[in-house]
Amino acid sequence: MDGSKTPVAAPVLILLGPPGAGKGTQARMLEEAHGLVQLSTGDLLRAAVAAGTPAGQRAKAVMEAGDLVGDDIVIAILRDRLGEADCAQGVILDGFPRTTVQAQALDALLAATGQRINAAISLEVEDAAMVERISGRFTCGGCGEGYHDSFKPTAKPGVCDTCGGTEMKRRADDTAETVAQRLEAYHAQTAPLITYYQGKGALTRVPAMGAIDQIAAELNAVVSQVTT
């Protein structure tokens, strides 16, 4: 025996949670704390199209035709991305998988490289709070500073604290009705995923209604446990 150690496969984590649960914020904090790479479906598609990869070219043709990009193309793009050097320390998937079929395809992809889902972390939140959190958001049209009707209003109504601008913008899909519909769709798609990963012993539930730093501390504990 030469005393060499078998290389440890790069960990793969999934963040589950409805719109407004804070997945993006927490993923960025986990990136910094653990050297992981956040991978979101939208970013992956845009990067692959811009790079002109074979899978990216297929995705571009589908999108230009006004169709949804199929799971096979997304998996191909993800396979290419996971093979890049910066993913060697591990990744956090944000927004994928969304269905059990996608989860099974992801399992097959990871199995081919000796990897697996180390943890599927579900950010547990209350729907009513998510409607309030998202529908109250607005930004300054001048500098992009973000505000909220209840949690972070401007000091002077209608005037940006940062640049003094008076043009405030709200996303068209951030109305209470639209957010409620997005939450309903999320639960319809994700409930089977929670059951799927729970059955594999990979699911961890993290309460996500508290302060950002408190949630981050709990997530750090989970990630430290599954990546060491």
Side-chain angles (χ1 to χ4, degrees):
M1 296 180 64
D2 60 5
S4 63
K5 295 182 179 180
T6 302
V8 178
V12 179
L13 311 175
I14 296 173
L15 278 185
L16 302 172
K23 297 188 299 297
T25 297
Q26 294 298 338
R28 287 190 292 273
M29 295 173 74
L30 288 173
E31 276 188 304
E32 295 179 4
H34 299 273
L36 304 173
V37 175
Q38 178 191 11
L39 300 180
S40 69
T41 306
D43 291 343
L44 287 174
L45 285 172
R46 285 187 289 272
V49 169
T53 66
Q57 292 175 8
R58 291 167 59 199
K60 181 180 180 180
V62 170
M63 290 188 290
E64 288 180 344
D67 297 324
L68 293 175
V69 178
D71 292 349
D72 58 330
I73 298 178
V74 176
I75 285 290
I77 290 173
L78 181 58
R79 179 187 299 111
D80 292 343
R81 185 68 181 88
L82 288 174
E84 295 182 15
D86 63 336
C87 292
Q89 297 301 311
V91 300
I92 311 167
L93 298 180
D94 175 8
F96 189 87
R98 293 181 183 274
T99 66
T100 302
V101 171
Q102 290 179 347
Q104 292 169 339
L106 177 59
D107 283 345
L109 167 62
L110 295 176
T113 59
Q115 294 171 279
R116 62 183 175 84
I117 300 300
N118 296 73
I121 306 171
S122 175
L123 298 180
E124 304 284 299
V125 294
E126 300 168 6
D127 280 8
M130 293 303 97
V131 172
E132 180 185 11
R133 182 183 294 182
I134 298 175
S135 62
R137 299 187 301 197
F138 63 96
T139 59
C140 172
C143 68
E145 180 66 29
Y147 296 98
H148 192 279
D149 293 331
S150 301
F151 310 130
K152 187 185 174 184
T154 55
K156 184 178 180 180
V159 180
C160 177
D161 298 348
T162 302
C163 73
T166 57
E167 181 188 357
M168 299 298 168
K169 296 183 177 181
R170 294 179 187 269
R171 285 179 48 174
D173 60 351
D174 277 356
T175 65
E177 181 180 1
T178 302
V179 173
Q181 293 172 349
R182 288 161 61 192
L183 287 168
E184 184 178 350
Y186 169 81
H187 289 303
Q189 293 177 338
T190 304
L193 271 186
I194 289 176
T195 301
Y196 180 81
Y197 287 116
Q198 190 167 26
K200 289 180 168 292
L203 183 72
T204 298
R205 299 176 186 268
V206 172
M209 290 302 299
I212 290 176
D213 288 346
Q214 177 185 354
I215 300 166
E218 294 196 43
L219 285 172
N220 279 324
V222 172
V223 173
S224 294
Q225 185 175 15
V226 300
T227 58
T228 55

